Amino acid sequence: MPRSGWQQKLEQIGFSFYNLEGKAYWTEQACYAFSSAEIDELEAASEELHGLCLKAVEYVVANKLWERMRIPPVWGDYLERVWRRSDPTLCGRFDLAYDGREPPKLLEYNADTPTALYEAAVVQWYWLKDVKPEADQFNSIHDKLIEAWRGVLRRLPPEGLVHFARFEDHPEDLATSEYLRDTALQAGLAGKPIAVPDIGWNGRRFTDLDEMPIQVMSKLYPWEWMAREKFGVHVLTDTTAFIEPAWKMILSNKMLLPLLWEGFPNHANLLPAFESEHADLGRSFVKKPIFGREGHNVTVVGPGVFDTAGGDYGSEGFVWQAYQPLPRFDGCYALVGSWIIDGKPAGIGMREDERRITHNNSRFVPHYFE
């Protein structure tokens, strides 16, 4: 049962977009219950997958596979530099298929601009305290974020300031960016908001509207867009540090999926994935754009199964991945979003939809374990 006055409770903690595009985005009509053994399995799989992903980054950088990863080669030297000096990463989210019987399977890695962070870290935690105070939740996201920001602070000069760039007319992006800023403030950093269109260039540095140089920018703006815009070339001067760092464009890229399968074939947490249609997939596969977001331009094909979503992605090509059905509960397909904070598993957020393709307005549903 939903909490009495649940809308007001959400608004009190700054979560106002519980409806998106005319649909319920947050729901308390249901919740997901896990065993502690299942949580342990998800945590271990997430740690394992993150390790594989870091090996994939090293492989791409060492072999300069820029064209294969659809990264403009002019960005190669810069990307290698930020990887070699270990520019810090804050967070990313694995999307996993997990039914509690088979090992969790990686569907994709939202490694660059992951939203649903505030919902997972804070909103479902308040739900747990109200509804299941005796239970637990796989959720140390908030504390790990603050600790990760402290690591960033140690690398900055005393007057170090982080600018938080986002589109302020997108409620979810704005809330995610403000939540990141709040955790940075709790870690002792100074944080200044800025709208993406207000970022300037003075001929030497990125600047804000007050002509203040931008030393560090936490951005909710995809690297693959920046790398293809005229303005983006200024990044290569390396006068501003970015969170997430540019090496994340290797991981937020669906070409990662065939790369991982080549490097670690038959790994328990991976699905077969290829750069083109492949005999190993048979008649069951998911076709995904290399640079796709929010389920757009994804097609699911299987025996008696077909689902496809429109959109404007796909010009750079597609990857083909084995179809792993999501578990279904009360007519809803459930997806596990597993958060990596500062390189460590930190918690999960559950999304569900009547369709097999998870979209930006697919419902967020809280979870607990005992």
Side-chain angles (χ1 to χ4, degrees):
M1 286 287 293
R3 291 170 292 174
S4 174
W6 61 271
Q7 294 99 330
Q8 290 79 12
K9 291 178 185 289
L10 296 178
E11 288 167 4
Q12 282 168 4
I13 57 171
F15 184 61
S16 59
F17 54 98
Y18 44 83
N19 287 307
L20 277 179
E21 299 171 15
K23 284 180 59 181
Y25 170 62
W26 166 273
T27 182
E28 301 186 9
Q29 301 285 355
C31 60
Y32 284 90
F34 291 85
S35 69
S36 58
E38 289 168 338
I39 293 297
D40 289 345
E41 186 174 24
L42 283 166
E43 184 173 16
S46 300
E47 187 155 22
E48 170 75 5
L49 285 166
H50 186 66
L52 299 186
C53 286
L54 295 182
K55 290 177 181 176
V57 175
E58 176 58 34
Y59 181 75
V60 169
V61 171
N63 293 282
K64 301 187 187 303
L65 302 180
W66 316 128
E67 291 183 3
R68 182 180 180 187
M69 302 303 292
R70 308 305 197 270
I71 295 168
V74 70
W75 283 67
D77 287 348
Y78 170 72
L79 199 148
E80 182 171 5
R81 189 158 63 247
V82 297
W83 169 246
R84 294 283 174 231
R85 73 184 181 210
S86 302
D87 278 20
T89 169
L90 204 67
C91 61
R93 189 189 75 241
F94 287 119
D95 283 350
L96 305 174
Y98 181 58
D99 61 5
R101 294 186 293 275
E102 289 188 59
K105 301 289 188 183
L106 174 65
L107 303 180
E108 60 190 57
Y109 193 7
N110 300 275
D112 180 20
T113 59
T115 45
L117 179 64
Y118 185 59
E119 299 90 293
V122 175
V123 183
Q124 67 170 346
W125 182 256
Y126 276 91
W127 168 89
L128 181 80
K129 296 294 120 190
D130 285 347
V131 177
K132 298 275 184 184
E134 75 292 343
D136 207 344
Q137 192 174 79
F138 181 23
N139 185 5
S140 59
I141 299 169
H142 185 77
D143 291 341
K144 283 190 167 70
L145 272 174
I146 294 171
E147 193 52 44
W149 280 121
R150 289 188 179 126
V152 173
L153 179 62
R154 286 192 288 271
R155 296 177 66 153
L156 290 177
E159 71 283 1
L161 173 75
V162 179
H163 283 75
F164 288 81
R166 66 287 181 102
F167 290 107
E168 303 203 329
D169 56 345
H170 293 190
E172 193 176 7
D173 284 10
L174 179 61
T176 302
S177 180
E178 281 297 277
Y179 173 58
L180 284 170
R181 189 164 74 97
D182 181 60
T183 54
L185 294 173
Q186 290 185 53
L189 275 159
K192 186 176 183 180
I194 185 170
V196 168
D198 293 337
I199 298 168
W201 175 258
N202 68 6
R204 300 180 311 279
R205 299 285 303 263
F206 288 112
T207 57
D208 63 20
L209 289 176
D210 300 319
E211 291 300 314
M212 176 184 284
I214 298 176
Q215 294 174 298
V216 183
M217 187 190 301
S218 169
K219 60 168 189 61
L220 277 184
Y221 194 77
W223 272 116
E224 68 264 21
W225 296 2
M226 292 171 71
R228 284 159 177 77
E229 295 170 351
K230 282 185 180 179
F231 194 66
V233 74
H234 299 313
V235 170
L236 305 182
T237 62
D238 202 11
T239 52
T240 294
F242 288 89
I243 297 172
E244 296 296 312
W247 58 263
K248 278 294 193 82
M249 71 172 88
I250 295 171
L251 299 183
S252 61
N253 173 335
K254 305 301 187 299
M255 195 58 77
L256 172 71
L257 301 171
L259 192 74
L260 286 172
W261 187 248
E262 284 172 28
F264 310 100
N266 302 311
H267 191 285
N269 300 123
L270 297 176
L271 294 168
F274 306 94
E275 291 181 49
S276 59
E277 295 186 64
H278 196 282
D280 286 1
L281 296 175
R283 291 171 36 235
S284 297
F285 59 86
V286 181
K287 180 183 174 186
K288 301 178 177 182
I290 290 170
F291 295 124
R293 294 183 172 270
E294 300 171 344
H296 292 168
N297 302 99
V298 170
T299 299
V300 178
V301 177
V305 173
F306 182 82
D307 197 3
T308 190
D312 300 319
Y313 297 102
S315 60
E316 291 85 5
F318 292 82
V319 299
W320 280 255
Q321 185 183 47
Y323 173 47
Q324 177 77 14
L326 293 172
R328 197 175 183 206
F329 305 96
D330 295 333
C332 297
Y333 295 94
L335 177 80
V336 179
S338 182
W339 287 91
I340 300 292
I341 307 296
D342 195 19
K344 293 292 181 186
I348 59 171
M350 299 297 299
R351 304 285 295 280
E352 66 176 26
D353 205 291
E354 288 78 14
R355 295 181 62 181
R356 291 175 172 82
I357 300 171
T358 307
H359 298 266
N360 66 313
N361 59 356
S362 296
R363 288 182 299 279
F364 190 103
V365 186
H367 82 278
Y368 71 95
F369 75 91
E370 303 198 65

